[in-house]
Amino acid sequence: MRRRSLITGAVGVLAAAGASPAAAEGPRRRVLHVRPGDAVQAAVDAVDGPGRTIVVHPGTYRETVNIPSDVRDLTLLGASRDPRDTVVVYDNANGTQKPDGTGTYGTAGSATFTSAAPGLTVRGLTIANDWLRADHPEITGTQAVAAYVTGDRSRFERVRFLAHQDTLFADTTALDSFDRQYYRDCYVEGDVDFVFGRGRAVFDGCHLHTLDRDVTFKPEGMVFAPATARANPYGFLAVRCRVTSGAEDGAYKIARPWVPSYETTAWPSLVVRDTWLGPGIDAVAPYTDMREAYPWQTMRFREYANSGPGAVIPVPDNRPQLTAAEAAEHTHGTYLGDWRPYEQRY
């Protein structure tokens, strides 16, 4: 399925780049409204203090959005209850040339949505990158990020993340920071390493969906590619999630470890627990290497109390499990510490 067909559920018109938010006038406005014809970035630029709220009304906003680190405790809301109604989308890839001729965007730079803001909350909208490999055979850097998230206490609820390779980049502001992220009731789809990075991130009740790639090899891709710093005791935690697939049975792996060239001491960490794994996951060998020098068996990959056809354990050595005592250490509380977004409901 072509990416652009996946976001047509949104209504409205394309946002004109640089248009001002209609309700952002006046001094120190705490709530700013963005409507079709406005630009989300203009509202971000108009934020004049901590604790502000931006309400984005139903429509498709074709732009990139960048929330800098000095915008604290911002809330970004889709105005309707259905995240499909409000879509922020763009189409840069790693290998896309920048308009100013200074080179390509790179993986992080390809993101439609970028945030380094501490205390960010995003609810009820779609963030997408609709760049397609088939449309650009000349580009080899095919990573095309929907959201690149850093900053401590970043929170996403009922958000849809749509892309192909490297959909959600859950990272940290610095190599030695352990920024926390929380994703509840979100939908994330992609194909290669589509949830990746070194952030300490909890995925709570999320739906992760693997796309069918037009390739002849297996695996077609991996759901997770954590790059956790060795000093960080916790990486990615998926709890009460479900993993479905548009590809054939066994075409996907749960994860492979990412040890970046700029941080070769990384020790990727992933725990998948109490999660339903569909038949798209290779139950016999659910993990694989990204590089032979960093075998997955030496990483912090564990499972606990998973169910579904992709959770069957035919080869125990290929599916390291937590004990009940160990599982008690891998919870929302241990990963997120004194920040408790999971105790709040909206």
Side-chain angles (χ1 to χ4, degrees), residues 43 51 97 100 123 190 222 231 276 325:
Q97 291 289 332
D100 62 6
R123 293 204 302 268
M222 289 62 57
W276 187 85

Side-chain angles (χ1 to χ4, degrees), residues 1 3 14 28 59 64 73 90 93 95-96 137 139 152 183 213 217 232 262 265 270 281 306 318:
M1 181 180 294
R3 161 64 55 229
L14 300 184
R28 303 192 65 78
T64 59
D73 301 316
Y90 210 69
T96 302
I139 293 179
D152 193 35
Y183 300 83
R213 292 181 65 193
F217 54 80
N232 193 344
Y262 54 81
T265 62
L270 168 69
I281 295 299
N306 293 324
N318 288 346

Side-chain angles (χ1 to χ4, degrees), residues 47-58:
V47 169
D48 58 4
R52 301 301 192 252
T53 296
I54 296 173
V55 178
V56 186
H57 290 257

